[in-house]
Amino acid sequence: MHSASVRGPGHINRGQPNQDAVLIRRNRNSWLAVVSDGMGSRKHSDIGSKMACQAVLMMTRQCSFDEPDKTVIHCTYKHWLNLLDNIRPDDAIATCLFAWGKPSGKCRLFQLGDGAIYVSSGEQQTLKPRDENSFGNETTGLGLSKKYSDWVCAQSQISINQGLVLVTDGISDDLVEPQLFASSVIKTMKNKGARYGKQWMKRELENWPTPHHTDDKTIAVIHRK
């Protein structure tokens, strides 16, 4: 498992923090990858994204892997609200994308808001936002969405030597061939150690080839050995 997150040139120039967050965890019984993008117009968006990652982790410790989608979503949202403490939810709106899996390769995918999850295992699978026709930079996220139907939920089976990639929209919006990108990253990362892998991905994100890009960029990569 590998992850990296970098501030976009826009936030660097304005002296603002990275509004993305990422979390990866693995133990004997399961693994988890989460990416989140705080809505830039909200004053605590960086906190909202960090707490989104922590909320998903807390959910996995409370819920069984086979819980219904609605239970997983409700538990995640409840923990996010509690972690915000005195911060108003609409001041900390953040997207929430996560993959929760077992050593067998079975995994569950959840997405609220912009970004994407790319599965590279036999048949290619992509999760995208529920509403791709939203106007301009509008998206949804924790603190804004009140409907289960805003979430995209799916299950997948990751084969040996295959994997998946989660990205915030600073990456997904620029990809012309997203599945090719995902397959290439998984193949590149599978033999890299945690420290060197993070360094390599950060360097790639900091030297992103899209002209005039400004957004923060965050990625999590899962490879099943």
Side-chain angles (χ1 to χ4, degrees):
M1 302 179 72
H2 298 84
S3 68
S5 184
V6 301
R7 279 195 303 166
H11 287 157
I12 292 173
N13 292 338
R14 293 190 293 271
Q16 294 177 318
N18 188 346
Q19 293 168 351
D20 283 3
V22 61
L23 178 147
I24 54 174
R25 292 287 189 278
R26 188 197 297 272
N27 58 39
R28 281 173 31 183
N29 300 314
S30 65
W31 52 263
L32 175 69
V34 193
V35 299
S36 178
D37 179 0
M39 187 176 288
S41 61
R42 310 303 166 116
K43 60 183 178 180
H44 295 302
S45 57
D46 57 323
I47 297 174
S49 61
K50 291 182 178 66
M51 294 306 99
C53 293
Q54 291 300 318
V56 176
L57 178 62
M58 293 170 71
M59 177 278 297
T60 64
R61 292 171 174 171
Q62 179 178 339
C63 296
S64 70
F65 185 75
D66 296 321
E67 295 278 9
D69 291 344
K70 284 189 176 182
T71 303
V72 169
I73 291 167
H74 176 77
C75 187
T76 298
Y77 196 82
K78 180 185 70 175
H79 284 305
W80 184 74
L81 291 174
N82 289 337
L83 287 166
L84 289 181
D85 197 18
N86 294 322
I87 295 175
R88 286 164 43 99
D90 62 357
D91 284 335
I93 295 170
T95 65
C96 187
L97 293 77
F98 61 96
W100 183 17
K102 306 293 278 184
S104 65
K106 182 179 180 180
C107 69
R108 302 181 65 181
L109 311 174
F110 294 83
Q111 176 164 352
L112 177 67
D114 289 344
I117 302 175
Y118 306 115
V119 180
S120 179
S121 184
E123 291 187 5
Q124 307 291 343
Q125 181 181 1
T126 300
L127 257 68
K128 295 182 179 179
R130 176 69 69 187
D131 182 8
E132 291 191 279
N133 298 314
S134 58
F135 178 75
N137 291 323
E138 290 180 356
T139 187
T140 190
L142 300 172
L144 183 61
S145 169
K146 299 294 192 296
K147 300 181 296 183
Y148 289 117
S149 59
D150 288 339
W151 288 77
V152 181
C153 308
Q155 295 194 16
S156 189
Q157 179 68 38
I158 307 301
S159 304
I160 292 175
N161 289 324
Q162 300 294 323
L164 58 84
V165 176
L166 301 86
V167 295
T168 55
D169 66 351
I171 295 175
S172 62
D173 285 355
D174 289 345
L175 298 180
V176 177
E177 296 185 87
Q179 285 293 349
L180 182 61
F181 168 83
S183 297
S184 176
V185 169
I186 292 167
K187 183 177 180 180
T188 300
M189 299 307 298
K190 69 179 182 179
N191 294 320
K192 295 187 186 299
R195 186 173 181 179
Y196 181 70
K198 180 182 284 289
Q199 291 175 346
W200 183 87
M201 287 200 298
K202 286 190 72 172
R203 189 163 57 245
E204 292 296 305
L205 298 182
E206 288 168 347
N207 295 295
W208 195 248
T210 301
H212 312 300
H213 69 95
T214 62
D215 206 1
D216 302 329
K217 292 171 179 57
T218 298
I219 185 170
V221 181
I222 308 298
H223 172 257
R224 184 183 174 208
K225 296 182 179 180

